[in-house]
Amino acid sequence: MSTVVLKGVEKVYEGGVKAVHDFNLTVADKEFVVFVGPSGCGKSTTLRMIAGLEEISGGELYIDDKLMNDVSPKDRDIAMVFQNYALYPHMTVFENMAFGLELRKFPKEEIKQRVEEAAKILELTEYLDRKPKALSGGQRQRVAVGRAIVRKPKVFLFDEPLSNLDAKLRVQTRTQISKLHKMLGATMIYVTHDQVEAMTMADRIVVMKSGFVQQIDTPLNLYNKPNNKFVAGFIGSPAMNFIDGNLYQNGGLHFKDKSGKLDLNLPDMVAAKLQTRVGQDLTMGIRPEDIYDVRFSQRAGFVSKSKLTLDVVEPMGNEIFLYLALPAAANAVATAAAEDQVVARIDSRDIPETGEDLELAFDTTKAHFFEKAAEEKLIV
């Protein structure tokens, strides 16, 4: 069993700056957990506290039921893979992967066996005699991962390991790390600011903001049932659309935006949960795939239609992103701010012209509603 438990863990720097607040998490044996959030949210600091590279200011850290707060990094039986590879340039791939074992006085035969096994898993066998300068960025990162594998630690820690790679290599390497997790059956904790990495790799995701945990859940639950507006906007690409407005009753419950020109009727299943909010300022969230061009889609479900003006078209190959202007209020100054647009994701059968008025269907069964004054609270 290789479990990691954080109970009320906090990090406070000199001057009283608090980087991590009351962090609580249990990582199960063989689980792959990803910490995700914007830069400066405390995710790498939390990982470094688990590794022993940062002192824990408050709370308790356990690995396999053993309190680790005052245990030195070398005695925690963890292996960490960093963003910058940290390979020795004068050593070969074999020597880089073997170095940690040599420091621990492992027998030469066992070192050779472990390195060759790791090299085979990572497809590095033919590169064992090369030095890092003769390798690509992706190959260097695999060497750094291999150096962690040969130690056979209780827990693997990854601190944004793919951020220095180009887009194609990131996709390839994250697939290899996912395969590696299944192959080794290891406990892994992974830090990234890239929500696509988090969604595709994790068993569970910890979403952080400003040192606070916002939600801990499976990728699909985070996507479909976000706790608050921050999680809803951070998870998903393109991001969820947010439209400010209010509710009114007219033969059924309606949501109208701040201009009063975008008027969407809501299905009974949604309206039943919002009856007490009539007249209040709310924010509606709806994902780009739940807004579609009625000319090319006959999707079933409760929809409400509205005409919007197309500002920008982004062809993506098999699909198109449409950036559409929300109606302006009569006394508003025209702007191109993100909050004055919605994004629709449609298939690529037909590319409309910018400036065109499109009739769009909003699948309001998929809409989320948030308190406008306290953006962090999901209503439905």
Side-chain angles (χ1 to χ4, degrees):
M1 293 286 289
S2 298
T3 59
V4 179
V5 178
L6 296 94
K7 294 183 178 180
V9 168
E10 298 186 335
K11 179 63 184 180
V12 183
Y13 289 105
E14 288 184 15
V17 177
K18 206 167 193 177
V20 178
H21 304 252
D22 192 26
F23 193 105
N24 294 280
L25 174 69
T26 296
V27 182
D29 183 42
K30 301 180 182 178
E31 190 175 19
F32 196 130
V33 171
V34 176
F35 297 170
V36 70
S39 297
C41 71
K43 56 189 185 294
S44 288
T45 301
T46 304
L47 193 78
R48 290 173 65 83
M49 285 192 285
I50 296 170
L53 302 177
E54 289 276 3
E55 185 180 344
I56 296 173
S57 305
E60 298 172 334
L61 167 69
Y62 296 87
I63 297 178
D64 288 348
D65 298 323
K66 182 180 177 182
L67 184 63
M68 290 286 163
N69 288 45
D70 298 319
V71 176
S72 68
K74 66 182 179 62
D75 296 324
R76 295 190 181 197
D77 199 9
I78 55 94
M80 190 160 177
V81 179
F82 296 92
Q83 177 180 339
N84 61 0
Y85 320 141
L87 301 179
Y88 295 104
H90 62 287
M91 292 184 181
T92 64
V93 168
F94 183 98
E95 290 166 342
N96 267 285
M97 291 171 67
F99 186 65
L101 300 179
E102 290 172 352
L103 288 179
R104 289 168 176 78
K105 309 296 183 185
F106 276 73
K108 286 187 178 181
E109 278 305 308
E110 185 174 355
I111 291 174
K112 184 173 184 295
Q113 179 187 345
R114 288 195 182 196
V115 171
E116 288 176 351
E117 283 177 358
K120 185 177 180 181
I121 290 170
L122 295 165
E123 300 177 3
L124 289 170
T125 303
E126 62 183 288
Y127 306 110
L128 287 174
D129 293 329
R130 295 190 189 181
K131 291 185 177 177
K133 67 180 179 182
L135 304 177
S136 68
Q139 289 164 345
R140 290 179 196 176
Q141 190 56 275
R142 276 158 37 210
V143 174
V145 173
R147 184 175 53 193
I149 289 174
V150 298
R151 289 184 49 200
K152 298 183 179 178
K154 288 181 177 178
V155 182
F156 288 87
L157 306 178
F158 295 85
D159 190 7
E160 304 210 37
L162 309 185
S163 57
N164 286 338
L165 305 181
D166 62 41
K168 185 177 179 181
L169 273 177
R170 278 202 304 273
V171 173
Q172 290 175 350
T173 310
R174 81 176 183 227
T175 301
Q176 288 171 334
I177 292 174
S178 293
K179 285 181 180 177
L180 187 64
H181 173 245
K182 290 179 174 64
M183 192 181 303
L184 298 177
T187 302
M188 294 186 174
I189 303 175
Y190 186 105
V191 161
T192 181
H193 63 275
D194 185 339
Q195 55 92 17
V196 175
E197 277 181 36
M199 291 289 287
T200 55
M201 299 174 77
D203 295 321
R204 283 191 303 156
I205 299 172
V206 180
V207 182
M208 298 184 68
K209 176 190 177 186
S210 303
F212 290 93
V213 173
Q214 302 296 304
Q215 189 170 347
I216 302 173
D217 219 324
T218 63
L220 285 180
N221 276 347
L222 284 175
Y223 192 81
N224 294 317
K225 301 173 183 177
N227 277 353
N228 55 49
K229 186 180 174 185
F230 175 79
V231 175
F234 193 83
I235 300 295
S237 181
M240 182 182 283
N241 297 294
F242 295 112
I243 305 170
D244 292 336
N246 56 60
L247 302 172
Y248 75 96
Q249 199 83 37
N250 183 16
L253 194 62
H254 291 243
F255 173 83
K256 63 179 178 181
D257 78 332
K258 57 190 178 184
S259 75
K261 297 176 183 177
L262 179 69
D263 192 323
L264 305 173
N265 55 323
L266 305 179
D268 291 344
M269 58 183 286
V270 175
K273 300 174 183 177
L274 292 170
Q275 289 297 338
T276 60
R277 304 285 182 162
V278 173
Q280 293 183 12
D281 288 338
L282 303 176
T283 298
M284 184 184 80
I286 188 164
R287 294 204 179 275
E289 61 267 30
D290 297 322
I291 305 172
Y292 50 94
D293 190 330
V294 296
R295 295 176 298 171
F296 304 110
S297 180
Q298 300 299 321
R299 284 166 47 183
F302 188 97
V303 298
S304 187
K305 298 176 183 178
S306 183
K307 276 196 174 182
L308 297 179
T309 304
L310 180 59
D311 278 344
V312 178
V313 177
E314 285 188 348
M316 305 298 289
N318 67 323
E319 59 187 5
I320 303 169
F321 298 160
L322 306 181
Y323 293 79
L324 303 120
L326 286 170
N331 59 352
V333 178
T335 70
E339 61 267 23
D340 295 323
Q341 291 183 326
V342 295
V343 183
R345 171 190 272 163
I346 66 172
D347 66 36
S348 56
R349 274 178 283 185
D350 183 62
I351 300 180
E353 295 290 330
T354 55
E356 186 178 345
D357 288 338
L358 298 181
E359 187 174 30
L360 299 171
F362 290 70
D363 185 351
T364 46
T365 63
K366 305 287 182 63
H368 299 270
F369 290 86
F370 306 89
E371 290 185 351
K372 190 171 184 299
E375 294 180 348
E376 300 308 311
K377 187 174 180 181
L378 173 71
I379 301 167
V380 61

